[in-house]
Amino acid sequence: MKLNILPNAVSLLGMLCLAGAANGALVSYTQGDLLVGFRATSGVGANTNYVVNLGSAADVRDGTLSGTISLGDLNTDLTAIYGADWATRDDLYWGIAGSPSNVVTVNGDASKTVYVSVANGGPADGPLIGNSLRTTVSTKMTGMEQGTVGFSSYQASANNSRAAIQSASDASSWSSYMNGGSNGGAIDFGAFSEIEGHVYDSLSVYRLTSPTSSTLEGTFTLSSGGAISAVPEPTSALLAGLGVAVAGFRRRRSA
């Protein structure tokens, strides 16, 4: 029987180079930031997660993130982990998730506020979950982000200070919170049927604050070159613009 070991060997070599060149610094993370997770369900890189700090949830909520977001060199890492064809793979997925805190208010988001993505627009009213389940999800998300073995405890990739390379089997890896993972159970974060899309799908990000409140905050796309772009939900962008205008008016009045 002929064994095709070249793709796996290339992927392993790439990951060894990434790890060997690591500068020892912890990945960039501040409480309240959202995460972008990548995972392959088969093939090259199936045992590895690539997780990137998207930035403050408040910036997504307020419509501040717009256009191409400066997130460092994603393409080099994605290519090394998942292969040169990563952008067209049907078994490579990405998702966006996070909860600023499960106990206190952070940057205007009350405790247990949850941010989660849905591929290609999702349901018209967005995902909805009850208060008890939202508490569970928020606790899982904060553990993924800043728990003892969460994202914030990883060393940064050698190519990107905002990104961590995880073993899919790590206790608080992105995969562990997805469908079938040790922390997710039968559904993503124990609550959602699907928060991920293929890497060539768009992701709509919703903010959940109550059993009846699920607001669309923005839509995100990923280019074949590894650039993530954001289109704010129109209401969020309008409010952000009004805030800038009011601040400018106040400065003129005080001048």
Side-chain angles (χ1 to χ4, degrees):
M1 180 174 67
K2 183 178 180 180
L3 297 178
N4 185 8
I5 64 172
L6 181 58
N8 288 324
V10 171
S11 178
L12 177 61
L13 177 61
M15 286 183 283
L16 288 174
C17 289
L18 291 172
N23 57 19
L26 291 179
V27 66
S28 174
Y29 177 82
T30 300
Q31 185 176 6
D33 292 346
L34 301 182
L35 302 182
V36 184
F38 295 85
R39 69 179 182 123
T41 56
S42 62
V44 174
N47 297 319
T48 305
N49 294 162
Y50 185 59
V51 186
V52 182
N53 183 343
L54 180 65
S56 173
D59 289 341
V60 174
R61 178 197 68 209
D62 298 338
T64 304
L65 289 182
S66 182
T68 301
I69 309 169
S70 180
L71 296 176
D73 184 1
L74 275 64
N75 188 52
T76 296
D77 284 345
L78 288 169
T79 299
I81 298 169
Y82 301 114
D85 64 339
W86 68 263
T88 58
R89 286 181 56 176
D90 291 329
D91 57 355
L92 182 59
Y93 295 84
W94 72 316
I96 298 173
S99 181
S101 174
N102 63 339
V103 291
V104 299
T105 296
V106 177
N107 297 331
D109 278 324
S111 66
K112 304 178 183 63
T113 296
V114 166
Y115 290 81
V116 67
S117 60
V118 179
N120 297 322
D125 56 353
L128 294 171
I129 53 177
N131 284 330
S132 177
L133 192 52
R134 188 160 48 84
T135 298
T136 299
V137 171
S138 178
T139 299
K140 289 178 182 291
M141 287 185 174
T142 53
M144 175 188 69
E145 296 160 348
Q146 52 191 306
T148 304
V149 290
F151 173 80
S152 61
S153 68
Y154 279 81
Q155 289 188 350
S157 156
N159 298 303
N160 193 341
S161 64
R162 302 176 67 100
I165 299 171
Q166 305 173 333
S167 168
S169 62
D170 287 353
S172 285
S173 70
W174 177 268
S175 284
S176 75
Y177 290 93
M178 297 297 105
N179 185 344
S182 58
N183 296 312
I187 50 180
D188 298 346
F189 291 105
F192 306 105
S193 59
E194 183 64 81
I195 76 159
E196 297 174 302
H198 297 99
V199 285
Y200 46 76
D201 291 333
S202 64
L203 297 177
S204 296
V205 173
Y206 291 85
R207 178 175 178 257
L208 284 61
T209 56
S210 78
T212 59
S213 178
S214 177
T215 56
L216 175 62
E217 302 299 338
T219 301
F220 295 80
T221 56
L222 176 67
S223 77
S224 60
I228 295 178
S229 298
V231 178
E233 192 279 329
T235 301
S236 298
L238 176 61
L239 292 175
L242 288 174
V244 172
V246 169
F249 176 76
R250 287 176 176 170
R251 283 196 296 269
R252 290 195 297 272
R253 285 287 300 271
S254 60

